[in-house]
Amino acid sequence: MIIPYTEIAEDTLNNLIEYYVLREGTDYGEQEMAMAEKVAMVQRQLQSGEVVIVYSELHESINLMPKQLFLQQAEHTDAS
């Protein structure tokens, strides 16, 4: 289930994004980026719809993921 980022309190959303950034260990290119820059990048991706917040009822967990990946997984689940 996708949870609109606008429905989450600002502090909670910021903490969720920071946790995601720290956990992902994503490669940001040749230059390292400050945490604030990484958080801002993910915020922009949420606002543009590239990234979505997903709640898993099965695992009782919340995660951020690229929207395309979410749609592919949902399609695969529906086909099973």
Side-chain angles (χ1 to χ4, degrees), residues 1 15 18 24 31 33 35-36 39-40 48-51 53 55-57 63 65 67 69 74 79:
M1 162 184 2
N15 288 337
E18 285 182 5
E24 289 301 306
Q31 294 181 328
M33 295 174 71
M35 173 65 87
V39 168
S48 72
E50 290 176 67
V51 171
I53 300 171
Y55 174 72
S56 168
E57 293 176 4
N63 192 20
M65 64 188 329
K67 187 175 185 177
L69 179 59

Side-chain angles (χ1 to χ4, degrees), residues 22-39:
L22 289 170
R23 186 185 71 219
E24 289 301 306
T26 306
D27 181 14
Y28 292 91
E30 292 181 25
Q31 294 181 328
E32 267 304 304
M33 295 174 71
M35 173 65 87
E37 290 177 282
K38 293 176 187 177
V39 168

